[in-house]
């Protein structure tokens, strides 16, 4: 039964995504009902899989050693949960946001196809399967960036494609070497590197693994292959930006997690120059992304730079290679997904209802859209890391993991960079709330809007509430992820 559901969460959105444009449904309500039914079924199947013990299935074998196979484990469940529910909320929001689009069928088609590819990667059993779905994610999500067909969106989509393909090429080279020096291509907690084969080739392997992780880091927006992210988000429709930032970018995180913890193993990497280089790049990305967001005046581009910074919080936790740091990274995978999907949907609601894109143009918007701005404020406090919101919990464990790790320089540099980034995050998010609710005496209050209707503000409100509740009731989640983090070191 678990195997059937695992196949369903992959094949259902893929089949629906192909079928939707072919059906050419003229009745918009029927079309939206079809999309909603698929997204809801996906969420239900995911919940059932979260409660299961696991599943495993070999789809086909190319050779005796190269197989395309699926397996459900603890890491799979984390990434499947954020994909299923993130796409559900963004999809419901898109029902209203995309109502005037001439290419709505194409958007929802690629929206569902991207979800299916993500689910396939989440359930991958080995490096070959993971790489196959990783490339599919790029090809199937790029049309959402290209949706408006403007010159700017075409350039942004091509940039996204080139960065992702270049990164994937580096990753593929890494996979070739790991196939030569590993006992198996299947993922195994602690890694499957054959130390007898690797003996005498350690320096070469470290270089190749370093480049492979940098390549996968392109999808996660890690420096130096981060440039596509702030270019793609401002031109993509807001629901696409929400899933690109909060969920699809996590494909890079998942690939890095599988390489470091399930293919190579932290025992081989800990204390090497590779670990220090990765930590240096991730902390540089955290600071740089926050600083660029602080200086940016376009709302969606500001959120895009914020994603560059925040996703590298996760990578920093993984690169610490300690149980506490890994726990902080896994927590931030979940929390950042909820927060950033919420924030991008808020941006979409602001743009949809006002037609304005600049941060400074949202002065007094709290008078016209109070529910949306309150949700933005709650999600912003969570992203900054103000207790008891969820972001505080993950950042606490990230800082504790760095302090406990005892790495030279990075044991104190990591908490410092995280603190500076939090201050910058407050600097680029909270002024929107302050000027939105308190525009000044000379400001003429705009007319109250319906905030895009229930299809817009309800997903935003639910996500904002979840970002708060996950922090207040984080205990069971922390306990479960602690056990998972300890089992993969």
């Amino acid at each position: 039964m678990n195997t059937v559901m695992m196949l369903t969460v992959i094949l259902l959105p893929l089949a629906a995504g192909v079928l939707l444009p072919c059906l050419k449904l003229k009745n918009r309500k029927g079309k939206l009902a079809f999309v909603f039914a698929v997204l809801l079924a996906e969420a239900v199947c995911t919940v059932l899989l979260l409660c299961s013990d696991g599943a495993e299935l070999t789809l086909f074998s190319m050779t005796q050693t190269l197989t395309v196979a699926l397996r459900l484990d603890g890491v799979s469940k984390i990434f499947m949960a954020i994909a299923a529910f993130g796409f559900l909320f963004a999809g419901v929001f898109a029902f209203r946001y995309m109502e005037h689009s001439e290419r709505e069928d194409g958007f929802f088609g690629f929206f569902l196809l991207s979800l299916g590819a993500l689910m396939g990667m989440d359930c991958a059993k080995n490096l070959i399967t993971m790489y196959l779905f990783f490339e599919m994610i790029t090809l199937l999500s790029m049309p959402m960036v290209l949706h408006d067909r403007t010159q700017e969106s075409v350039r942004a989509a091509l940039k996204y494609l080139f960065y992702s393909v270049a990164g994937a090429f580096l990753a593929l080279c890494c996979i070739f070497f790991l196939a030569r020096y590993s006992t198996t291509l299947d993922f195994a907690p602690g890694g499957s590197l054959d130390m007898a084969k690797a003996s005498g080739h350690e320096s070469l392997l470290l270089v190749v693994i370093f480049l492979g992780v940098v390549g996968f880091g392109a999808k996660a927006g890690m420096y130096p292959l981060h440039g596509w992210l702030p270019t793609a988000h401002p031109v993509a429709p807001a629901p696409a930006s929400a899933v690109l930032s909060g969920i699809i970018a996590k494909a890079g995180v998942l690939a890095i997690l599988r390489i470091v913890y399930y293919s190579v193993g932290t025992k081989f990497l800990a204390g090497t120059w590779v670990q220090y280089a990765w930590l240096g790049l991730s902390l540089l990305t955290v600071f740089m992304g926050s600083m660029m967001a602080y200086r940016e005046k376009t709302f969606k581009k500001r959120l895009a730079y914020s994603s560059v910074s925040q996703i590298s919080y996760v990578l920093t936790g993984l690169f610490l290679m300690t149980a506490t740091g890994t726990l902080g990274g896994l927590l931030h995978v979940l929390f950042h997904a909820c927060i950033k999907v919420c924030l991008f949907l808020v941006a979409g609601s602001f743009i949809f209802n006002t037609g304005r894109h600049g941060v400074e143009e949202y002065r007094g918007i709290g008078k016209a859209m109070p529910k949306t701005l309150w949700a933005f404020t709650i999600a912003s406090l969570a992203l900054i890391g103000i207790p008891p919101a969820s972001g505080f919990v993950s950042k606490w464990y990230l800082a504790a993991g760095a302090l406990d790790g005892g790495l030279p320089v990075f044991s104190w540099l990591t908490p410092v960079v995280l603190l500076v980034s939090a201050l910058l995050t407050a600097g680029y998010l909270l002024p929107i709330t302050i000027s939105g609710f308190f525009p000044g005496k000379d400001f003429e209050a705009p007319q109250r809007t319906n905030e895009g209707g229930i299809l817009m503000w309800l997903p935003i409100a639910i996500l904002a509430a979840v970002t708060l509740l996950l922090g207040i009731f984080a205990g069971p989640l922390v306990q479960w992820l602690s056990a998972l983090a300890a089992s993969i070191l």
Side-chain angles (χ1 to χ4, degrees):
M1 185 63 179
N2 291 344
T3 303
V4 173
M5 284 191 294
M6 185 170 62
L7 273 176
T8 300
V9 297
I10 299 170
L11 296 180
L12 176 62
L14 288 174
V18 171
L19 187 61
L20 181 61
C22 298
L23 292 176
K24 297 182 180 179
L25 298 172
K26 295 181 179 180
N27 186 323
R28 188 170 189 269
K29 290 184 178 179
K31 175 171 56 183
L32 298 185
F34 174 81
V35 175
F36 180 72
V38 173
L39 293 174
L40 186 60
E42 193 80 353
V44 171
C45 289
T46 300
V47 170
L48 294 174
L49 286 172
L50 293 177
C51 300
S52 67
D53 295 330
E56 190 169 328
L57 175 67
T58 298
L59 298 179
F60 59 89
S61 299
M62 293 178 281
T63 67
Q64 289 184 343
T65 57
L66 299 179
T67 62
V68 175
L70 306 174
R71 182 170 61 200
L72 183 69
D73 60 10
V75 170
S76 301
K77 293 178 180 181
I78 298 171
F79 287 87
M80 289 174 67
I82 66 171
F85 288 96
F87 270 75
L88 175 62
F89 288 120
V92 171
F93 180 92
F95 293 163
R96 175 82 166 121
Y97 187 90
M98 302 298 296
E99 65 181 0
H100 301 301
S101 173
E102 297 178 357
R103 291 175 286 272
E104 187 180 51
D105 286 7
F107 173 84
F108 282 115
F110 284 109
F111 188 82
L112 293 174
L113 286 168
S114 298
L115 174 57
L118 275 166
M119 287 297 191
M121 183 177 173
D122 295 342
C123 296
K125 180 184 177 181
N126 55 44
L127 285 168
I128 298 301
T129 310
M130 183 185 76
Y131 183 80
L132 171 66
F133 282 108
F134 184 85
E135 291 283 45
M136 284 179 61
I137 291 168
T138 298
L139 297 175
L140 296 175
S141 60
M142 186 195 72
M144 292 194 292
V145 179
L146 189 62
H147 179 77
D148 289 338
R149 304 295 195 274
T150 62
Q151 188 176 13
E152 187 179 7
S153 65
V154 171
R155 285 199 299 264
L158 289 174
K159 190 172 184 178
Y160 171 46
L161 178 64
F162 293 155
Y163 271 68
S164 298
V165 170
F169 175 76
L170 289 176
L172 183 59
C173 292
C174 175
I175 292 173
F176 285 151
F177 277 84
L178 290 178
R180 171 67 177 82
Y181 292 104
S182 298
T183 56
T184 176
L185 291 176
D186 290 352
F187 297 130
S192 56
L193 201 63
D194 189 330
M195 300 311 298
K197 291 182 179 178
S199 179
H201 304 280
E202 291 88 353
S203 297
L204 174 63
L205 273 172
L206 286 174
V207 172
V208 171
I209 294 165
F210 170 77
L211 293 176
V213 166
V214 170
F216 277 130
K219 185 75 75 184
M222 187 176 76
Y223 182 88
L225 298 177
H226 66 288
W228 69 268
L229 211 149
T231 304
H233 284 306
V235 300
S241 294
V243 296
L244 276 167
S245 173
I247 302 166
I248 292 176
K250 300 296 193 313
V253 173
L254 175 58
I256 291 172
L257 174 62
R258 292 297 197 186
I259 289 286
V260 173
Y261 287 83
Y262 284 84
S263 292
V264 179
T266 56
K267 291 181 180 179
F268 182 76
L269 296 168
T272 65
W273 67 267
V274 169
Q275 182 187 19
Y276 294 109
W278 285 339
L279 279 170
L281 288 176
S282 64
L283 290 177
L284 174 62
T285 310
V286 168
F287 176 76
M288 178 194 66
S290 297
M291 183 60 72
M292 296 300 291
Y294 182 78
R295 298 179 60 185
E296 182 57 49
K297 300 300 182 184
T298 303
F299 191 23
K300 283 183 69 179
K301 198 167 185 178
R302 176 175 290 190
L303 294 179
Y305 278 120
S306 172
S307 293
V308 170
S309 173
Q310 294 291 326
I311 295 174
S312 277
Y313 275 64
V314 178
L315 298 180
T316 298
L318 299 182
F319 295 152
L320 287 171
M321 301 182 193
T322 64
T324 307
T326 305
L327 168 61
L330 294 175
L331 285 169
H332 207 62
V333 167
L334 285 166
F335 299 159
H336 175 262
C338 294
I339 295 166
K340 198 49 65 78
V341 171
C342 180
L343 291 177
F344 267 108
L345 295 187
V346 167
S349 183
F350 284 174
I351 294 168
F352 182 88
N353 287 280
T354 68
R356 300 169 185 170
H357 297 264
V359 172
E360 296 175 354
E361 296 178 294
Y362 296 139
R363 182 185 173 206
I365 199 167
K367 306 295 183 182
M369 303 176 63
K371 289 182 288 189
T372 304
L373 190 58
W374 270 116
F376 169 82
T377 303
I378 293 170
S380 297
L381 293 175
L383 196 66
I384 295 165
I386 303 297
S390 55
F392 170 77
V393 179
S394 56
K395 293 180 182 183
W396 175 274
Y397 284 106
L398 287 171
L403 293 170
D404 294 343
L407 292 173
V409 181
F410 289 103
S411 61
W412 60 265
L413 181 61
T414 300
V416 169
V417 172
L418 297 184
L419 178 59
V420 172
S421 176
L423 293 173
L424 289 169
T425 305
Y428 63 72
L429 291 178
L430 293 185
I432 299 173
T433 294
I434 295 170
S435 65
F437 281 126
F438 307 104
K441 293 181 180 179
D442 60 333
F443 182 78
E444 184 177 347
Q447 186 177 355
R448 182 79 172 265
T449 74
N450 68 352
E451 310 199 41
I454 192 170
L455 290 178
M456 275 196 167
W457 64 257
L458 186 59
I460 292 172
I462 293 173
L463 286 167
V466 169
T467 63
L468 184 61
L469 294 174
L470 283 177
I472 296 173
F473 303 104
L477 186 60
V478 170
Q479 186 176 5
W480 177 59
L481 291 180
S482 294
L484 177 60
S487 70
I488 63 177
L489 283 172

